[in-house]
């Protein structure tokens, strides 16, 4: 955006504001949900009482309402039309957590681009995405929508997704307004229970929970949504510090803030305010420009301005930001959707992208005796078992309001095509749904397995078990699936689990019973062909975990960037619970920080993922052992493909700042590169660490790079052991 156009835009906004009545201003601050043919809605639009719609997805219906706004309302201000387009519209890509597992933000950008194009063709011009809540709690259902546990990885995805939705030019017909949500700290909800309060020290907020939002603001995100949650005693929707001091003053955000669904009236339910009147004041003062679906602004603001409790100038400021985005979106010049100008939803190219995204989201967690890839030439029979092998709906995941189920290709359909004349298939569901408690299908499943050379079991969680308000206290495989896995395992056939889920599950009860685990999240429309390609070796797995997998739910939160504690555990400290002698003295197991029944390591570490080849690391090099403050240091290492197949390695750089005025995490991700290597090939991969990338927020919330000793590791996951060190001095 040039200065000249910003200038014009500001002039046009000022001119418009000067003509608006208070009621019309408050109208712009209202986002309304309603049926397109509702006379009430149409009358409200004509009266200038509606600024935005929510949840209408029909281009014709939206165009009709837009005509009323543009031609019948006094000032002709066009409407925004918002919708949750979270991981695809008609064509569904992997859930955001799955996309994060690709460690390929550029691919996520392309997915967001396609989602925007499909949504724009249906009249949607505003999406409530990207969701940028870093979280370390897999019990939380919304981890499915999140970019995972790491602020650096999340920030890379934030930038990519904003560019994807908004395109290069927000005024283009295929661009839609993005919305960074939920501001802020939502992912720290206590006990992983949705909407629960959060307590986050301010410097931790800045170091962990806010970077992804700041990245979105830097990338030009036009809107931000408040979180439902209470942050340190002040619910986000009434939090002036967050929305004024941080978002606008410190970060220079110039777009607008929308509340979450009815989160303004909820301020009094939280107990921050006594009633709607106070809630309106709190939200407006905090800088919430638009209210989603509830009518607290509409009902309360007129009297508050009249009584002088809120200045009309403050309302003007809130409305101006909304109008500016409408201008930037080009709505005043072209308010209508012309679907014919945009590519058809679900076209072959979009499906190819969905397949690629699904492929890159798959994480191979276990592969004993190289049971994968399956050689289609040598097996004569294969069992496909499980409730998720052939369920088009359940492979899509949460937030798929507009998905086209007819586009879906399931794993069973893809495997059947491969089987064709080559080998026989024995199919059994085993259990009705992932939650079922009935065992009636076990016999059929065991029978299928007995008749087969190898067993593929599609288990996990149905879509409804993750997402908003769908939290779990027990994150084992639900229902009787564990039992089914163990029963099949008893037969001694090579057993591969393909797990679809909206979160990391605790897999300790099944991991030893199977030969391989391919973690598929909810892969979306093209789950089938993507999974089949990896299982049968047409493609190699490339995904890496964007979040730590606990052994047991009681370890949560467990994440790679934890603090060291004053009593860090060592592997030799951990004595299996049952081996502790009876009547042992109090200190006999050592006083270090671990769980007697789970140790201190995760089941699978952040950044982990196997491939069909093997990578080794050597010769780590630091450009300078003493780095002057402000200077850049280069860290590099050689990575070699030791296996027989080409493969893609996600080379990761971790850093530890040994001494800080605020203690620093034992490892922080500071960079990653995706590197393709032929068998036997070696490449040196290098990373630059600037002073900024070593900085953190201290107790006074100053961003500082403190002098001192640093360790740096390069490797294939967060437990990498190849280390070097340097000093900032
Ligand atoms: C969710 C938001 C979503 C909004 C609109 C709320 O319940 O928290 O993420 O964008 O609904 O559907």
């Amino acid at each position: 955006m040039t200065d000249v156009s910003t200038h014009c835009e500001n002039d046009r906004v000022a001119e418009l504001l000067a003509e608006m009545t208070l009621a019309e201003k408050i109208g712009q601050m209202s986002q309304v949900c309603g049926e397109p043919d509702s006379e009430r809605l149409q009358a409200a639009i004509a009266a200038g009482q509606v600024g935005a719609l929510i949840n209408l997805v029909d281009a014709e219906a939206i165009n009709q309402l837009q005509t009323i706004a543009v031609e019948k309302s006094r000032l002709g201000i066009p409407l925004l039309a918002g919708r949750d387009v979270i991981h695809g519209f008609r064509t569904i890509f992997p859930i955001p957590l799955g996309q994060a597992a690709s460690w390929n933000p550029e691919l996520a950008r392309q997915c967001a681009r396609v989602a925007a194009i499909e949504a724009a063709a249906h009249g949607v011009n505003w999406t409530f995405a990207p969701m940028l809540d870093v979280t370390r709690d897999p019990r939380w259902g919304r981890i499915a929508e999140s970019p995972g546990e790491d602020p650096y990885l999340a920030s890379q995805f934030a930038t990519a997704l904003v560019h994807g939705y908004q395109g290069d030019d927000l005024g283009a017909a295929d661009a839609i307004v993005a919305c960074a949500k939920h501001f802020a700290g939502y992912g720290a909800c206590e006990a992983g229970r949705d909407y629960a309060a959060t307590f986050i020290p301010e410097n931790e907020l800045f170091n962990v929970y806010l970077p992804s939002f700041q990245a979105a603001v830097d990338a030009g995100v036009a809107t931000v949504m408040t979180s439902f949650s209470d942050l340190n005693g002040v619910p986000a929707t009434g939090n002036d510090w967050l929305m004024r001091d941080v978002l606008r003053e410190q970060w220079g955000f110039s777009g607008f803030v929308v509340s979450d669904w009815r989160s303004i009236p909820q301020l009094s339910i939280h107990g921050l305010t006594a009633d709607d009147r106070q809630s309106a004041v709190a939200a407006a003062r905090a800088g919430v420009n638009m209210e989603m679906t509830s009518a607290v602004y509409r009902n309360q603001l007129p009297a508050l301005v009249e009584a002088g409790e809120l200045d009309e100038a403050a309302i003007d400021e809130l409305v101006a930001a909304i109008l500016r985005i409408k201008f930037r979106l080009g709505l005043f010049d072209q308010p209508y959707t012309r679907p014919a100008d945009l590519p058809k939803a679900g076209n072959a190219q979009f499906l190819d992208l969905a397949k690629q995204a699904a492929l890159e989201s798959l994480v191979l967690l276990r592969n004993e005796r190289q049971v994968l890839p399956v050689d289609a030439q040598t097996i004569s029979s294969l069992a496909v078992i499980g409730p998720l092998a052939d369920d088009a709906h359940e492979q899509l995941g949460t937030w798929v309001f507009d998905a086209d189920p007819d586009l879906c290709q399931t794993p069973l359909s893809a495997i059947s095509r491969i089987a064709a004349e080559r080998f026989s298939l024995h199919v059994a569901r085993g259990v009705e749904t992932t939650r079922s408690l009935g065992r009636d299908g076990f016999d059929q499943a065991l029978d299928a397995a007995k008749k087969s050379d190898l067993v593929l079991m599609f288990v996990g969680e149905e879509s409804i078990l993750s997402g908003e308000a769908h939290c779990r206290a027990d994150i084992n495989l639900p229902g009787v699936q564990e039992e089914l896995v163990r029963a099949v395992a008893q037969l001694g056939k090579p057993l591969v689990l393909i797990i679809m889920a909206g979160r990391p599950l605790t897999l300790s009860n099944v991991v030893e019973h199977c030969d391989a685990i391919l973690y598929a999240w909810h892969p979306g429309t093209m789950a089938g062909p993507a999974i089949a390609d990896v299982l049968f070796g047409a493609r190699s797995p490339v995904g890496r975990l964007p979040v730590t997998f606990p052994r047991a739910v009681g370890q949560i939160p467990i994440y790679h960037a934890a603090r060291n504690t004053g009593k860090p555990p060592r592997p030799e400290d951990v004595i299996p619970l049952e081996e502790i002698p009876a009547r042992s003295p109090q200190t006999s197991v050592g006083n270090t920080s671990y769980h007697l029944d789970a140790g201190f390591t995760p089941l699978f570490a952040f950044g982990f993922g196997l491939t069909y080849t093997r990578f080794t690391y050597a010769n780590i090099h630091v450009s300078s052992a003493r780095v002057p403050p402000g200077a850049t240091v280069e860290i590099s290492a050689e990575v070699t493909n030791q296996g027989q197949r080409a493969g893609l390695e996600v080379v990761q750089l971790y850093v530890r700042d040994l001494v800080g005025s605020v203690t620093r995490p034992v490892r922080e991700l500071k960079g990653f590169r995706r590197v393709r290597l032929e068998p036997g090939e070696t490449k040196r991969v290098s990373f630059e660490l600037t002073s900024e990338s070593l900085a953190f927020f201290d107790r006074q919330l100053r961003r500082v790079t403190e002098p001192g000793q640093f360790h740096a590791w390069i490797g294939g996951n967060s437990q990498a052991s190849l280390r070097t060190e340097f000093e900032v001095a």
Side-chain angles (χ1 to χ4, degrees):
M1 170 100 17
T2 63
D3 286 351
V4 179
S5 63
T6 312
H7 195 68
C8 293
E9 194 178 278
N10 284 340
D11 285 351
R12 292 175 78 181
V13 167
E15 277 164 27
L16 203 48
L17 264 176
E19 285 187 56
M20 290 169 84
T21 63
L22 180 61
E24 284 164 338
K25 291 173 189 170
I26 296 169
Q28 286 304 304
M29 298 166 77
S30 308
Q31 179 170 37
V32 173
C33 177
E35 293 306 316
D37 48 6
S38 141
E39 280 177 20
R40 220 170 120 206
L41 178 62
Q42 295 182 358
I45 294 172
Q49 289 165 359
V50 179
L53 305 167
I54 183 168
N55 287 349
L56 277 181
V57 286
D58 175 324
E60 206 179 311
I62 294 174
N63 279 342
Q64 266 166 23
L65 296 178
Q66 197 68 285
T67 311
I68 300 177
V70 171
E71 291 177 16
K72 303 234 173 87
S73 77
R74 196 175 71 89
L75 296 170
I77 303 175
L79 300 162
L80 284 167
R83 179 70 157 174
D84 292 285
V85 184
I86 310 293
H87 53 113
F89 188 76
R90 290 284 188 262
T91 308
I92 299 297
F93 303 103
I95 52 170
L97 190 61
Q99 292 187 39
S102 71
W103 292 55
N104 187 350
E106 167 53 24
L107 183 61
R109 184 194 66 78
Q110 293 171 24
C111 296
R113 193 82 287 284
V114 165
I117 294 170
E118 290 189 350
H122 290 78
V124 173
N125 54 29
W126 180 18
T127 176
F128 307 118
M131 193 276 215
L132 300 174
D133 295 311
V134 164
T135 184
R136 285 141 179 205
D137 201 324
R139 292 170 297 185
W140 190 40
R142 301 198 82 165
I143 195 171
E145 301 170 52
S146 100
E149 76 181 35
D150 184 79
Y152 177 83
L153 189 62
S155 300
Q156 305 297 311
F157 277 87
T159 307
L161 291 167
V162 170
H163 288 148
Y165 287 116
Q166 295 192 170
D168 298 331
D169 168 14
L170 198 49
D174 63 1
I176 64 177
V177 170
C179 182
K181 73 185 187 186
H182 308 82
F183 197 62
Y186 193 21
C189 51
E190 284 193 315
R193 190 165 49 87
D194 210 0
Y195 317 128
T198 70
F199 296 95
I200 312 173
E202 279 174 9
N203 64 324
E204 186 76 354
L205 190 68
F206 274 93
N207 287 322
V208 177
Y209 295 91
L210 294 185
S212 50
F213 286 93
Q214 191 172 4
V217 170
D218 290 347
V221 74
T223 68
V224 167
M225 186 189 294
T226 66
S227 171
F228 281 127
S229 49
D230 180 326
L231 174 65
N232 301 331
V234 184
T237 303
N239 200 315
D240 53 334
W241 172 76
L242 260 185
M243 285 179 281
R244 293 210 180 265
D245 300 9
V246 177
L247 181 64
R248 290 178 168 101
E249 272 173 40
Q250 292 182 30
W251 298 352
F253 174 67
S254 63
F256 75 84
V257 175
V258 64
S259 77
D260 202 344
W261 191 284
R262 300 188 60 83
S263 70
I264 297 180
Q266 287 168 14
L267 290 175
S268 63
I269 305 176
H270 278 284
L272 183 75
T273 58
D275 52 28
D276 281 356
R277 186 181 168 92
Q278 288 184 9
S279 299
V281 175
R285 290 218 175 115
V288 179
N289 307 72
M290 188 182 280
E291 177 173 14
M292 185 187 285
T293 67
S294 40
V296 170
Y297 275 176
R298 193 157 60 240
N299 296 337
Q300 305 296 331
L301 290 182
L304 284 164
V305 173
E306 175 92 350
E309 272 187 63
L310 281 174
D311 272 353
E312 188 155 347
I315 304 291
D316 286 355
E317 185 196 311
L318 294 172
V319 176
I322 298 170
L323 296 175
R324 255 195 317 267
I325 296 305
K326 292 188 176 185
F327 276 112
R328 267 188 228 165
L329 190 58
L331 272 186
F332 284 89
D333 305 319
Q334 175 44 275
Y336 304 110
T337 300
R338 290 187 301 234
D341 294 354
L342 291 164
K344 197 172 161 303
N347 66 48
Q349 200 191 337
F350 294 176
L351 293 178
D352 280 350
L353 181 68
K355 178 178 172 190
Q356 186 62 22
L359 264 165
E360 296 200 17
S361 74
L362 304 175
V363 186
L364 183 64
L365 294 178
R366 180 176 170 87
N367 195 15
E368 295 300 292
R369 294 177 283 119
Q370 265 74 59
V371 64
L372 290 179
V374 179
D375 184 350
Q377 310 304 330
T378 58
I379 53 167
S380 61
S381 54
L382 180 74
V384 175
I385 296 174
L388 298 177
D390 193 29
D391 196 322
H393 175 78
E394 301 301 356
Q395 70 189 36
L396 296 180
T398 186
W399 287 122
V400 290
F401 293 146
D402 304 296
D404 181 349
D406 293 339
L407 295 174
C408 281
Q409 299 188 29
T410 68
L412 182 62
S413 67
I415 293 167
S416 305
R417 279 199 295 276
I418 294 173
E421 306 287 287
R422 297 199 191 104
F423 52 85
S424 58
L425 272 187
H426 304 289
V427 180
R429 211 172 160 97
V431 284
E432 188 47 36
T433 72
T434 65
R435 291 167 288 156
S436 306
L437 299 177
R439 296 175 181 80
D440 293 351
F442 276 31
D443 284 346
Q444 204 193 352
L446 290 169
D447 200 44
K450 274 181 208 150
K451 287 193 236 152
S452 305
D453 296 337
L454 186 135
V455 183
L456 301 176
M457 271 186 91
F458 290 82
V459 292
E461 276 183 335
E462 301 151 64
S463 300
I464 194 68
L465 296 186
S466 60
E468 184 177 352
H470 291 82
C471 305
R472 295 182 61 206
D474 168 352
I475 53 170
N476 286 337
L477 280 173
V480 288
Q481 293 179 100
E482 286 184 352
E483 227 180 283
L484 180 61
V485 170
R486 287 198 295 264
V488 172
Q490 290 273 312
L491 302 175
K493 301 283 170 103
L495 173 58
V496 178
L497 302 186
I498 299 91
I499 301 180
M500 293 189 197
R503 57 163 61 78
L505 295 172
T506 40
L507 300 173
S508 301
N509 295 340
V510 292
V511 70
E512 298 295 335
H513 296 283
C514 64
D515 299 285
I517 299 179
L518 185 66
Y519 214 80
W521 319 100
H522 287 128
T525 303
M526 295 297 278
I531 290 173
D533 273 8
V534 168
L535 291 176
F536 290 91
R539 298 289 297 270
S540 295
V542 298
R544 302 291 188 273
L545 295 179
V547 60
T548 302
F549 274 47
R551 294 175 190 279
V553 80
Q555 289 183 301
I556 296 169
I558 179 168
Y559 51 97
H560 73 287
R563 298 303 210 280
N564 202 32
T565 79
K567 290 171 182 270
R570 296 161 307 171
E572 59 270 30
D573 293 339
V574 183
I575 306 169
L577 189 61
E578 56 286 2
E579 286 174 23
I580 302 172
R583 284 177 287 282
S584 291
Q586 164 80 26
T587 55
S588 63
V589 291
N591 288 348
T592 61
S593 177
Y594 69 92
H595 289 106
L596 286 176
D597 49 359
F600 62 92
T601 57
L603 188 60
F604 299 110
F606 175 82
F608 174 77
L610 299 169
T611 63
Y612 288 156
T613 183
R614 199 168 58 85
F615 297 99
T616 55
Y617 288 81
N619 299 327
I620 191 164
H621 179 258
V622 58
S623 59
S624 159
R626 274 172 78 84
V627 186
T632 294
V633 58
E634 193 182 304
I635 318 272
S636 67
E638 283 171 6
V639 50
T640 301
N641 180 351
Q642 301 279 9
Q644 308 300 317
R645 287 177 64 125
L648 185 140
E649 173 68 326
V650 181
V651 181
Q652 302 163 37
L653 170 71
Y654 294 88
V655 164
R656 177 172 179 193
D657 180 350
L658 294 196
V659 179
S661 58
V662 172
T663 59
R664 309 302 311 131
V666 290
R667 291 207 180 182
E668 287 181 280
L669 179 70
K670 293 294 181 185
F672 61 89
R673 290 219 205 307
R674 304 171 84 247
V675 182
R676 185 167 292 284
L677 292 173
E678 295 303 318
E681 190 183 354
T682 297
K683 272 187 191 157
R684 180 162 282 279
V685 179
S686 61
F687 297 92
E688 278 204 344
L689 279 172
T690 62
S691 170
E692 171 54 29
S693 51
L694 296 174
F696 63 94
F697 289 90
D698 68 7
R699 263 182 287 181
Q700 284 71 40
L701 301 185
R702 293 171 308 207
R703 191 151 170 84
V704 291
T705 309
E706 293 180 344
Q709 203 66 31
F710 289 80
H711 285 173
W713 295 259
I714 293 181
N717 63 64
S718 58
Q719 294 176 334
S721 56
L722 186 67
R723 193 185 89 188
T724 183
E725 39 191 274
F726 61 93
E727 188 184 1
V728 173

Short mmCIF file of all heavy atoms in Angstrom, two decimals, residues 111-130:
data_model
loop_
_atom_site.label_atom_id
_atom_site.label_comp_id
_atom_site.label_asym_id
_atom_site.label_seq_id
_atom_site.Cartn_x
_atom_site.Cartn_y
_atom_site.Cartn_z
N CYS A 111 -2.28 -23.34 0.26
CA CYS A 111 -3.58 -23.88 0.69
C CYS A 111 -4.52 -22.73 1.07
O CYS A 111 -5.71 -22.73 0.70
CB CYS A 111 -3.42 -24.81 1.89
SG CYS A 111 -2.45 -26.29 1.52
N ALA A 112 -3.99 -21.76 1.81
CA ALA A 112 -4.82 -20.62 2.20
C ALA A 112 -5.28 -19.84 0.96
O ALA A 112 -6.40 -19.32 0.91
CB ALA A 112 -4.05 -19.72 3.17
N ARG A 113 -4.40 -19.76 -0.02
CA ARG A 113 -4.74 -19.06 -1.28
C ARG A 113 -5.95 -19.73 -1.93
O ARG A 113 -6.93 -19.09 -2.32
CB ARG A 113 -3.50 -19.11 -2.19
CG ARG A 113 -3.48 -18.22 -3.42
CD ARG A 113 -3.05 -16.79 -3.10
NE ARG A 113 -4.09 -16.05 -2.40
CZ ARG A 113 -5.18 -15.55 -2.96
NH1 ARG A 113 -5.39 -15.68 -4.24
NH2 ARG A 113 -6.07 -14.89 -2.24
N VAL A 114 -5.88 -21.05 -2.04
CA VAL A 114 -6.99 -21.79 -2.67
C VAL A 114 -8.26 -21.66 -1.84
O VAL A 114 -9.35 -21.46 -2.37
CB VAL A 114 -6.59 -23.27 -2.88
CG1 VAL A 114 -7.80 -24.12 -3.19
CG2 VAL A 114 -5.55 -23.36 -4.00
N ALA A 115 -8.11 -21.75 -0.53
CA ALA A 115 -9.28 -21.60 0.35
C ALA A 115 -9.91 -20.23 0.11
O ALA A 115 -11.15 -20.10 0.03
CB ALA A 115 -8.87 -21.76 1.81
N ALA A 116 -9.08 -19.21 -0.02
CA ALA A 116 -9.58 -17.85 -0.25
C ALA A 116 -10.31 -17.77 -1.59
O ALA A 116 -11.39 -17.18 -1.68
CB ALA A 116 -8.42 -16.85 -0.20
N ILE A 117 -9.73 -18.37 -2.60
CA ILE A 117 -10.35 -18.31 -3.94
C ILE A 117 -11.73 -18.98 -3.91
O ILE A 117 -12.73 -18.42 -4.39
CB ILE A 117 -9.44 -18.99 -4.99
CG1 ILE A 117 -8.14 -18.20 -5.17
CG2 ILE A 117 -10.17 -19.17 -6.31
CD1 ILE A 117 -7.08 -18.92 -5.99
N GLU A 118 -11.78 -20.17 -3.31
CA GLU A 118 -13.07 -20.88 -3.27
C GLU A 118 -14.09 -20.11 -2.43
O GLU A 118 -15.26 -20.04 -2.78
CB GLU A 118 -12.88 -22.30 -2.69
CG GLU A 118 -12.11 -23.22 -3.62
CD GLU A 118 -12.10 -24.68 -3.15
OE1 GLU A 118 -12.53 -24.96 -2.01
OE2 GLU A 118 -11.68 -25.54 -3.93
N ALA A 119 -13.63 -19.56 -1.32
CA ALA A 119 -14.56 -18.82 -0.46
C ALA A 119 -15.03 -17.54 -1.15
O ALA A 119 -16.22 -17.21 -1.13
CB ALA A 119 -13.89 -18.49 0.87
N ALA A 120 -14.09 -16.84 -1.80
CA ALA A 120 -14.43 -15.58 -2.47
C ALA A 120 -15.50 -15.82 -3.54
O ALA A 120 -16.40 -15.01 -3.73
CB ALA A 120 -13.18 -14.95 -3.08
N ALA A 121 -15.40 -16.96 -4.21
CA ALA A 121 -16.38 -17.26 -5.27
C ALA A 121 -17.77 -17.49 -4.68
O ALA A 121 -18.76 -17.46 -5.40
CB ALA A 121 -15.93 -18.49 -6.05
N HIS A 122 -17.83 -17.72 -3.39
CA HIS A 122 -19.14 -17.92 -2.74
C HIS A 122 -19.57 -16.69 -1.95
O HIS A 122 -20.43 -16.79 -1.08
CB HIS A 122 -19.09 -19.16 -1.84
CG HIS A 122 -19.01 -20.42 -2.64
ND1 HIS A 122 -17.85 -20.87 -3.22
CD2 HIS A 122 -19.98 -21.31 -3.00
CE1 HIS A 122 -18.09 -21.98 -3.89
NE2 HIS A 122 -19.37 -22.27 -3.78
N GLY A 123 -18.94 -15.58 -2.21
CA GLY A 123 -19.39 -14.33 -1.61
C GLY A 123 -18.70 -13.98 -0.30
O GLY A 123 -18.93 -12.89 0.25
N VAL A 124 -17.89 -14.87 0.19
CA VAL A 124 -17.19 -14.60 1.46
C VAL A 124 -16.03 -13.63 1.19
O VAL A 124 -15.27 -13.84 0.25
CB VAL A 124 -16.64 -15.93 2.05
CG1 VAL A 124 -15.77 -15.68 3.27
CG2 VAL A 124 -17.80 -16.88 2.37
N ASN A 125 -15.92 -12.58 1.98
CA ASN A 125 -14.77 -11.70 1.77
C ASN A 125 -13.93 -11.51 3.04
O ASN A 125 -13.03 -10.69 3.08
CB ASN A 125 -15.21 -10.34 1.19
CG ASN A 125 -16.28 -9.67 2.03
OD1 ASN A 125 -16.34 -9.86 3.25
ND2 ASN A 125 -17.12 -8.87 1.38
N TRP A 126 -14.23 -12.31 4.03
CA TRP A 126 -13.50 -12.20 5.30
C TRP A 126 -13.48 -13.57 5.97
O TRP A 126 -14.52 -14.19 6.15
CB TRP A 126 -14.25 -11.18 6.18
CG TRP A 126 -13.67 -10.90 7.53
CD1 TRP A 126 -12.42 -11.15 7.98
CD2 TRP A 126 -14.37 -10.28 8.63
NE1 TRP A 126 -12.28 -10.71 9.28
CE2 TRP A 126 -13.46 -10.18 9.70
CE3 TRP A 126 -15.67 -9.80 8.81
CZ2 TRP A 126 -13.82 -9.62 10.93
CZ3 TRP A 126 -16.01 -9.25 10.02
CH2 TRP A 126 -15.09 -9.15 11.07
N THR A 127 -12.29 -14.06 6.31
CA THR A 127 -12.24 -15.33 7.03
C THR A 127 -11.73 -15.12 8.45
O THR A 127 -10.93 -14.22 8.69
CB THR A 127 -11.32 -16.36 6.35
OG1 THR A 127 -11.26 -17.54 7.18
CG2 THR A 127 -9.90 -15.86 6.18
N PHE A 128 -12.17 -15.98 9.36
CA PHE A 128 -11.67 -15.93 10.73
C PHE A 128 -10.50 -16.91 10.85
O PHE A 128 -10.56 -17.92 11.53
CB PHE A 128 -12.80 -16.25 11.70
CG PHE A 128 -14.00 -15.39 11.47
CD1 PHE A 128 -15.21 -15.94 11.12
CD2 PHE A 128 -13.89 -14.01 11.57
CE1 PHE A 128 -16.31 -15.13 10.87
CE2 PHE A 128 -14.98 -13.20 11.32
CZ PHE A 128 -16.19 -13.75 10.96
N ALA A 129 -9.47 -16.60 10.16
CA ALA A 129 -8.25 -17.42 10.16
C ALA A 129 -7.12 -16.48 9.71
O ALA A 129 -7.38 -15.49 9.03
CB ALA A 129 -8.39 -18.58 9.18
N PRO A 130 -5.89 -16.74 10.06
CA PRO A 130 -5.40 -17.93 10.73
C PRO A 130 -5.56 -17.89 12.26
O PRO A 130 -5.50 -16.84 12.87
CB PRO A 130 -3.91 -17.92 10.38
CG PRO A 130 -3.56 -16.47 10.23
CD PRO A 130 -4.80 -15.84 9.64
#
